[in-house]
Amino acid sequence: MKILVTGGTGYIGSHTVVELQNKGFEVVIVDNLSNSSIKIVDNISKITGIRPLLEVFDLTDREKTADFFKRNNDLKGVIHFAAFKAVGESVEYPLKYYRNNLVSLVNILESMGNNEVQNIVFSSSCTVYGEPDELPVSEQAPIKKAESPYGNTKQISEEIIGDTINTSDIHGIALRYFNPIGAHESALIGELPLGIPNNLVPFITQTAIGIREQLKVFGNDYPTRDGTPIRDYIHVVDLAKAHVIAVDRMINNKMKKALEVFNLGTGKGYSVLEVIKSFEKVSRQKLNYKIVDRRAGDVIEVWADPTFSNHELGWKAEKGLDEMVLTAWNWEKALLNKINE
Ligand code: NAD
Ligand code: WQD
């Protein structure tokens, strides 16, 4: 059972490669290493004992993508992670995001059609819901106008997949992730933010380890229990496991519709200050932070209704906030040790 994992040396992709290999799938990764390191392949093989194949090229290259699919005509499915994901950068460079995230998807779907590869799992995002009208957010919640070109690429991608499915034998599962955090318990793979992290947890761990001076908490005057925004943080390994279940569901014809959409969240929301408290508890150190103005574009609160995923996929996020934050911290410390080696 051979699966293509695009973006498989990236954060969520690498954890998914591990879980696929643990379940006996053969994995081939395509990644252009624009936001990841080739060393991740060594670390994946340290965890699983199996070295995944890696081809380094850009999926926006139509000919290279077509050639890859021709050479790999025994693929049972594709998990498509490869994309740019920095919300703020997408506002500044929209065309960079539309080209990378949309052209790569079009190339992949075209090559799937030409080579009778029928199954695609797509990385979507809770960002498609914007500021939700009702909480928790189910898959039926309306899609709001995207707040950023990045968010728009996720909405358009779901539509591109839907339109393709209507006129072909391709089946798709779009997984809408809430806020993925944490790292593999081995601390051999994790998130590798390039430059200054945008996301909360990498900023916390980089501050604690001394790379950043101070965490800025973006606003404490929101209408929430402690004034800071609430999110549904989900451990990356729980997320990775859902991809294996989705692939299995497609290959074994268990889908109920040609395009299915699932929320991947825990169903619990935590505030920024609660995440900081959890970090201080598991790391046994105080974090240097200060409250500053709100960040433009932040939603007040969003957490998932994971009932449909729980029932239909037989999947449930298992790891709690402290474990998520501890694995992120252990990964940060492991990175420091590597730099000092
Ligand atoms: P990541 O940047 O760690 O991984 C993406 C990988 O894709 C990187 O290794 C990068 O080198 C590669 N890549 C990018 N463009 C490529 C191209 N044109 N050709 C080949 N390789 C390319 O990101 P991640 O956090 O692992 O995210 C994976 C997916 O999940 C993305 O689609 C992202 O939008 C989506 N997502 C992420 C989050 C999050 O908070 N991390 C939340 C919701 C959705
Ligand atoms: C979480 C909370 C910040 C950094 C983003 C994308 C979303 C999805 C997940 C891809 C917010 C606060 C953060 C900091 C802070 N990605 N914060 N100080 O914004 O919920 O979602 O990642 O699809 O599309 O928008 O995640 O981790 O950036 O922020 O106070 O230095 O932490 O204001 O309340 P977000 P985040």
Side-chain angles (χ1 to χ4, degrees):
M1 288 286 183
K2 189 158 138 191
I3 306 294
L4 163 62
V5 180
T6 76
T9 47
Y11 174 43
I12 307 170
S14 57
H15 290 82
T16 302
V17 171
V18 166
E19 296 307 319
L20 284 167
Q21 291 183 329
N22 284 344
K23 291 285 180 199
F25 287 96
E26 184 190 346
V27 176
V28 50
I29 297 172
V30 171
D31 202 300
N32 65 357
L33 305 177
S34 57
N35 196 34
S36 55
S37 159
I38 198 161
K39 289 186 194 138
I40 291 300
V41 175
D42 294 333
N43 288 4
I44 290 172
S45 57
K46 277 185 203 153
I47 298 171
T48 62
I50 308 160
R51 204 181 166 76
L53 294 170
L54 167 66
E55 292 207 20
V56 179
F57 69 88
D58 194 321
L59 287 155
T60 61
D61 186 321
R62 189 180 182 186
E63 275 163 29
K64 284 191 181 146
T65 306
D67 175 65
F68 170 86
F69 273 85
K70 246 183 243 151
R71 285 185 286 108
N72 290 273
N73 57 8
D74 53 347
L75 286 175
K76 291 284 174 266
V78 179
I79 308 182
H80 181 41
F81 292 104
F84 292 152
K85 62 165 180 177
V87 175
E89 188 191 49
S90 80
V91 176
E92 216 176 325
Y93 304 105
L95 295 182
K96 175 177 170 180
Y97 274 69
Y98 287 118
R99 177 181 299 282
N100 195 56
N101 295 4
L102 300 182
V103 175
S104 59
L105 176 65
V106 170
N107 287 344
I108 289 166
L109 289 170
E110 188 179 57
S111 283
M112 285 175 66
N114 290 338
N115 294 279
E116 286 165 37
V117 181
Q118 287 179 351
N119 303 312
I120 182 164
V121 178
F122 175 69
S123 296
S124 191
S125 169
C126 70
T127 195
V128 301
Y129 299 120
E131 183 82 63
D133 302 325
E134 275 176 43
L135 288 164
V137 187
S138 81
E139 291 82 356
Q140 274 69 52
I143 302 292
K144 295 280 179 67
K145 183 175 165 23
E147 294 263 0
S148 69
Y150 166 75
N152 208 17
T153 69
K154 291 300 172 192
Q155 296 189 2
I156 297 170
S157 293
E158 287 194 14
E159 288 176 3
I160 291 175
I161 294 170
D163 292 343
T164 308
I165 282 171
N166 287 339
T167 56
S168 71
D169 294 332
I170 293 175
H171 292 70
I173 294 184
L175 299 176
R176 293 180 182 155
Y177 315 154
F178 281 65
N179 286 55
I181 62 169
H184 193 264
E185 60 177 1
S186 63
L188 284 163
I189 53 175
E191 193 169 4
L192 269 178
L194 271 187
I196 302 172
N198 298 302
N199 296 114
L200 177 64
V201 171
F203 208 107
I204 290 177
T205 57
Q206 287 199 2
T207 304
I209 210 122
I211 301 173
R212 312 276 153 217
E213 205 184 316
Q214 188 176 49
L215 170 78
K216 294 185 182 74
V217 172
F218 298 130
N220 68 347
D221 56 351
Y222 286 93
T224 61
R225 52 186 173 260
D226 62 18
T228 61
I230 291 176
R231 298 287 183 272
D232 187 338
Y233 297 94
I234 176 166
H235 196 280
V236 65
V237 172
D238 280 331
L239 204 65
K241 286 179 177 165
H243 291 75
V244 182
I245 294 172
V247 160
D248 180 75
R249 180 178 176 89
M250 300 185 111
I251 293 174
N252 293 304
N253 301 317
K254 289 189 244 167
M255 293 178 71
K256 307 231 164 104
K257 293 193 290 186
L259 175 60
E260 293 182 327
V261 176
F262 295 102
N263 280 345
L264 296 183
T266 65
K268 285 199 199 85
Y270 290 100
S271 73
V272 174
L273 291 178
E274 285 164 350
V275 176
I276 293 172
K277 273 194 206 104
S278 166
F279 176 79
E280 291 184 329
K281 184 170 113 192
V282 301
S283 69
R284 299 201 198 94
Q285 67 181 79
K286 284 270 162 227
L287 186 76
N288 181 12
Y289 70 90
K290 73 166 177 192
I291 311 287
V292 300
D293 286 347
R294 292 180 178 196
R295 180 172 72 176
D298 271 343
V299 301
I300 304 167
E301 50 187 0
V302 57
W303 63 92
D305 178 351
T307 314
F308 185 59
S309 305
N310 295 165
H311 288 169
E312 250 336 284
L313 298 177
W315 166 91
K316 199 171 190 312
E318 283 166 0
K319 296 180 197 295
L321 183 64
D322 288 349
E323 193 179 349
M324 299 189 217
V325 173
L326 179 62
T327 55
W329 179 228
N330 287 341
W331 164 245
E332 191 69 67
K333 287 190 290 187
L335 281 177
L336 181 75
N337 291 336
K338 286 208 182 67
I339 291 163
N340 292 335
E341 258 169 23

